[in-house]
Amino acid sequence: MNTLSTDYSSISLQPGVPVPLGATWTGEGVNFAVYSTGASRIELCLFDEQGGHETVRLEFAERTDNIWHGFLPAPLGGPGLVYGFRVYGPYDPTYGLRYNGAKLLLDPYARLLAGSFTWHPSLMGHQEDPQQNLPDVNDSAPYNYKARVIDDAFDWGEDRPPAVPWRDTVIYELHVKGYTKLHPGVPERERGTYLGLAHPDVIAHLTRLGVTTVELMPVQAFLTEQVLSDKGLANYWGYNPIAWFAPEQRYAIDDAVIEFKTMVKALHAAGIEVILDVVFNHTAEGNEFGPTLSLRGLDNATYYKLETSSPGHYINRTGCGNTVAFGHHAVRRMVIDCMRYWVEEMHVDGFRFDLAAVQGRENGRFRTDAAFFKQVAAESSLRYVKLIAEPWDIGADGYQLGRFPPGWAEWNDLYRDGARGFWRGNPGVLGNFAERFAGSSDLFRASGRRPTAGINYIACHDGFTAYDTTAYNDKHNEANLEDNRDGHNHNLSWNCGVEGPTTDPGIIDLRERQIRNMMATLLLSQGVPMLLAGDEFARTQHGNNNAYCQDNDISWIDWSAAPQRAGLIEFIRQLLILRQRAPGLSRDTFLKGSLKQDHDHKDVSWLHPSGRELTDADWNDPHARVLGILNGHAFCDPHGTLNGHLLFLCNTSDEPVDFHLPEAKTGMQWQFVFDTARWQVNDPGRVLPSEICTVSPHSCVLLADSDVPSSVHCGLALTLK
């Protein structure tokens, strides 16, 4: 639409309606509605198609409660129209009031961004010395994003949610750009985009590996902070949102909305769910010295948490300068509207909430029964989506793992630390490792939740990759230009003898074995496993454990490494086949160590190398480095009866250990499924010649009795290669 040729002299807004909020194409025009409690006047500003030239300002004449609204009939009001808001009112930051009509504001309900963003002093709502409490009067419109009206129509065909049950879920965390930027099978034009992720070669890798659910790092439109831009760096991860409803345009070739929907449709057709990592806890407007881009100029005191005794300052429970005020009903409404939009219009299957403790705080304290959690539970369109919390923020009492309400799953960083610490050989961790392996009942059982409430992982975007956990003792974040001060130091890593790259074949073998050990542990544990993209072929970030600003080959997935690590990919694939076919590895109830009638073994037994069950003294032995785990109800026969046993033997010590094996089921024998120290040996289905199994140093062995169903034998190469 070419608004430059339009005569605006006789145009005014019709009354319109207060719902829905945002800009809505009705077929006859566009209805605009925006929330602001303290504004004295609001103008709708229209721009040319590129968002570069402001053509007219139309004043909202109607207000219902705190919602300002107006209707612009077609042909002027229609899809493609580019717009923004100017909001007038009192400017007194001392009281949290930051209205400034000189600042062009982005609609918080914007579905698609237009124009471009450039850091410029005019984006600041205050003059250079904010202590003077004087507004900056320079127009920010040339430098801020605008919104573009869209038509939601899209041919979804027969698209349906895959609706993967939690117990069958395998999550794969990836970055939309980084995952395909270097993929040789994706056309160059599509690399690093939504369409790149929809490419058949990419989807084929995911499905062959056994992934059921991709978790996309932030795709809500975001900004690169000025401090990074000034250094020539970028906010690569995307945890700095500016428009929650709009898909990030830099991952699109043309139309981000259409291309995002195309991606979701392609993944769904392959049976793969799509979960979004959403950032509702803060925005890119930062602290009191930050820019006025959207919420700050619309209604600062409503949308952000301000210091009670000093409203000119922001409460910062996010480490990003501001905290979104979930205690206000308008904020909760906007976030739930946003979730509903992504589910109903964009067809996503769930959300992972960054710093989710913020959403549960009321009067400064976290509450399991917080109003936001209740409203999400009451929203019918969100009833069956997956909800995952990153269960902490940086505020006082911010660590809330295990305290989220029923219906929510949580990232379990205690699992990561338990598994890494165990395989590193840390003293005194045996009991903690067993608790994590068994599903973390200490965190979830008391509230009636299941093992699937825990999202288990060895590595995620934040921290070392799985390979770097075996190759670096210390972080190496020099490329971030913060003198290696950024990123945490609690990596629980072990470089196996050399820091970084090496040509020593012994160390290379040990590192690969350690990766297999950790991956085997992850995929044999109770709970929902999450893999970090590229860990299946030992991706490295060269020791950078905080690559949030590295939009380059430090962060991009190096697909050339995949053929060299085909064995590791196959190892993980076979483990996922085993997990799929062994219901006892992904239970809906916690392991109890109990013996049921007509079963040879307990549901779980924790074994000493001598063959007996562990005693209290064993659990408390700080020098213990060896553990046997017998899953006595691993498989399910055609009648639904659990039988067939798996025996997982772990040795984190520097010496080989002889395990005395428990008796297999009557008339059966133990046979190898895998031995991480004998990876290159092709000896499928090898039956143990005696009642002793020698487990090599820093390795694990999985045994199965010969009562394992034939369907599993057919699908698994029992000694993987």
Side-chain angles (χ1 to χ4, degrees):
M1 131 182 251
N2 188 352
T3 56
L4 285 172
S5 62
T6 303
D7 178 9
Y8 296 101
S9 58
S10 61
I11 294 174
S12 62
L13 286 175
Q14 297 178 10
V17 293
V19 291
L21 290 169
T24 305
W25 164 240
T26 68
E28 298 179 349
V30 179
N31 189 80
F32 296 90
V34 59
Y35 183 95
S36 181
T37 61
S40 59
R41 184 170 95 251
I42 298 182
E43 293 172 338
L44 172 68
C45 305
L46 305 185
F47 291 80
D48 62 39
E49 283 187 89
Q50 289 72 41
H53 175 65
E54 186 174 357
T55 55
V56 69
R57 300 181 186 182
L58 305 174
E59 187 171 339
F60 285 95
E62 295 293 328
R63 178 178 182 177
T64 301
D65 296 327
N66 290 317
I67 298 177
W68 302 68
H69 49 91
F71 182 81
L72 188 63
L76 181 57
L81 181 68
V82 177
Y83 71 98
F85 299 131
R86 294 184 187 273
V87 180
Y88 301 83
Y91 182 86
D92 190 346
T94 304
Y95 295 96
L97 303 174
R98 296 178 181 268
Y99 299 102
N100 186 341
K103 307 306 161 186
L104 192 281
L105 305 178
L106 181 63
D107 182 359
Y109 279 71
R111 266 54 167 184
L112 185 64
L113 299 191
S116 60
F117 180 89
T118 304
W119 281 107
H120 188 270
S122 66
L123 294 168
M124 306 301 165
H126 53 269
Q127 290 190 9
E128 187 172 351
D129 182 1
Q131 302 303 321
Q132 295 181 6
N133 285 344
L134 296 175
D136 180 89
V137 297
N138 295 295
D139 185 10
S140 68
Y143 309 101
N144 196 8
Y145 279 124
K146 291 81 182 176
R148 189 183 301 276
V149 177
I150 69 168
D151 184 345
D152 285 323
F154 180 78
D155 181 11
W156 283 105
E158 299 299 317
D159 183 71
R160 294 289 184 274
V164 180
W166 269 119
R167 63 175 296 160
D168 298 330
T169 299
V170 178
I171 298 174
Y172 189 85
E173 187 194 26
L174 64 84
H175 187 283
V176 169
K177 179 178 181 179
Y179 197 61
T180 65
K181 184 64 177 176
L182 301 177
H183 197 294
V186 176
E188 187 170 353
R189 184 168 181 262
E190 296 179 3
R191 292 178 187 174
T193 69
Y194 303 119
L195 296 182
L197 189 52
H199 191 275
D201 286 0
V202 176
I203 293 177
H205 176 76
L206 296 173
T207 54
R208 186 177 187 279
L209 188 63
V211 170
T212 71
T213 306
V214 293
E215 181 175 302
L216 307 183
M217 289 178 66
V219 296
Q220 295 168 306
F222 62 89
L223 295 181
T224 288
E225 297 88 333
Q226 187 170 12
V227 65
L228 291 179
S229 181
D230 290 346
K231 292 179 179 179
L233 299 172
N235 188 318
Y236 172 72
W237 284 354
Y239 293 93
N240 196 39
I242 188 60
W244 288 330
F245 289 75
E248 174 53 50
Q249 188 66 36
R250 71 191 80 182
Y251 304 148
I253 298 171
D254 183 20
D255 188 312
V257 173
I258 296 298
E259 293 169 30
F260 183 92
K261 291 179 177 180
T262 300
M263 174 196 70
V264 172
K265 183 177 178 180
L267 288 165
H268 279 185
I272 298 174
E273 297 178 310
V274 178
I275 289 178
L276 303 188
D277 190 338
V278 288
V279 186
F280 292 126
N281 56 78
H282 75 281
T283 78
E285 291 184 303
N287 64 16
E288 52 270 20
F289 304 111
T292 296
L293 308 175
S294 182
L295 299 180
R296 173 172 285 150
L298 281 169
D299 198 343
N300 183 62
T302 288
Y303 290 113
Y304 294 117
K305 295 190 72 65
L306 308 178
E307 295 285 359
T308 303
S309 60
S310 180
H313 297 86
Y314 293 81
I315 293 174
N316 182 13
R317 293 199 177 98
T318 65
C320 300
N322 62 54
T323 307
V324 173
F326 272 82
H328 198 285
H329 68 89
V331 171
R332 296 195 300 272
R333 173 183 178 177
M334 179 168 60
V335 171
I336 290 174
D337 283 349
C338 183
M339 295 169 63
R340 187 189 307 115
Y341 172 75
W342 283 101
V343 169
E344 294 181 348
E345 292 294 339
M346 309 295 266
H347 285 209
V348 304
D349 305 285
F351 305 93
R352 179 267 188 189
F353 293 78
D354 179 62
L355 299 182
V358 166
Q359 278 103 82
R361 286 188 180 270
E362 294 184 352
N363 298 319
R365 304 293 294 178
F366 180 86
R367 295 179 58 94
T368 302
D369 61 349
F372 175 72
F373 298 145
K374 291 180 179 179
Q375 287 181 238
V376 170
E379 178 60 49
S380 59
S381 63
L382 304 178
R383 194 159 294 160
Y384 299 108
V385 303
K386 287 182 165 70
L387 302 172
I388 303 172
E390 182 184 41
W392 50 78
D393 61 26
I394 70 166
D397 195 30
Y399 190 75
Q400 298 294 336
L401 177 61
R403 291 199 59 209
F404 279 72
W408 286 70
E410 303 176 39
W411 269 27
N412 189 350
D413 65 321
L414 293 184
Y415 181 92
R416 174 201 63 199
D417 292 353
R420 287 188 183 187
F422 177 73
W423 283 110
R424 191 172 74 158
N426 282 9
V429 300
L430 202 63
N432 179 61
F433 172 77
E435 183 66 74
R436 303 304 147 227
F437 186 90
S440 296
S441 64
D442 60 331
L443 299 174
F444 305 117
R445 187 200 296 271
S447 58
R449 298 161 74 194
R450 300 179 178 185
T452 50
I455 307 298
N456 299 332
Y457 60 99
I458 298 297
C460 66
H461 70 273
D462 188 4
F464 278 159
T465 65
Y467 173 81
D468 286 357
T469 301
T470 74
Y472 297 91
N473 284 347
D474 303 302
K475 65 186 182 184
H476 296 271
N477 298 353
E478 290 81 6
N480 298 354
L481 304 182
E482 297 181 41
D483 297 323
N484 206 33
R485 295 190 304 269
D486 64 302
H488 54 78
N489 297 311
H490 186 65
N491 295 300
L492 291 169
S493 58
W494 174 42
N495 65 19
C496 299
V498 172
E499 187 76 354
T502 182
T503 57
D504 186 317
I507 293 177
I508 292 173
D509 178 71
L510 178 56
R511 287 177 178 177
E512 293 188 357
R513 194 187 322 161
Q514 284 287 83
I515 295 173
R516 291 194 293 270
N517 292 338
M518 290 187 288
M519 289 298 165
T521 300
L522 174 66
L523 299 179
L524 295 174
S525 295
Q526 301 297 323
V528 177
M530 182 180 78
L531 298 168
L532 175 62
D535 274 355
E536 70 271 25
F537 46 85
R539 169 180 168 256
T540 180
Q541 289 182 170
H542 313 291
N544 192 319
N545 75 351
N546 188 35
Y548 76 103
C549 57
Q550 298 300 323
D551 189 0
N552 50 48
D553 58 5
I554 291 176
S555 297
W556 301 341
I557 303 295
D558 179 9
W559 287 92
S560 68
Q564 304 167 35
R565 306 281 186 167
L568 179 58
I569 296 172
E570 184 65 11
F571 179 70
I572 293 172
R573 189 182 81 86
Q574 295 281 7
L575 279 169
L576 286 172
I577 292 174
L578 174 62
R579 186 177 180 89
Q580 181 185 48
R581 299 184 181 184
L585 297 179
S586 53
R587 296 163 53 101
D588 283 329
T589 58
F590 287 102
L591 297 168
K592 300 179 178 65
S594 59
L595 181 65
K596 293 185 177 181
Q597 189 175 3
D598 300 327
H599 284 77
D600 295 277
H601 295 288
K602 299 176 182 179
D603 56 358
V604 66
S605 299
W606 310 97
L607 303 178
H608 187 273
S610 66
R612 60 174 170 78
E613 292 200 42
L614 296 184
T615 64
D616 287 345
D618 296 323
W619 285 117
N620 292 298
D621 180 359
H623 304 295
R625 299 290 187 275
V626 183
L627 179 64
I629 307 170
L630 175 61
N631 188 322
H633 305 164
F635 294 95
C636 189
D637 68 16
H639 304 290
T641 302
L642 285 170
N643 54 35
H645 309 142
L646 288 173
L647 180 58
F648 188 43
L649 307 177
C650 304
N651 178 14
T652 72
S653 74
D654 296 326
E655 302 294 333
V657 172
D658 289 338
F659 267 95
H660 293 256
L661 302 179
E663 290 186 9
K665 189 174 180 180
T666 304
M668 304 299 170
Q669 293 176 296
W670 291 110
Q671 57 184 322
F672 279 99
V673 178
F674 64 77
D675 180 345
T676 59
R678 301 177 60 256
W679 184 244
Q680 300 301 326
V681 177
N682 185 11
D683 189 9
R686 185 168 66 89
V687 177
L688 268 70
S690 68
E691 297 177 352
I692 294 177
C693 177
T694 300
V695 182
S696 300
H698 306 293
S699 67
C700 58
V701 169
L702 184 66
L703 306 175
D705 62 27
S706 50
D707 197 30
V708 173
S710 60
S711 63
V712 175
H713 283 293
C714 294
L716 285 170
L718 286 180
T719 298
L720 305 171
K721 55 181 172 36

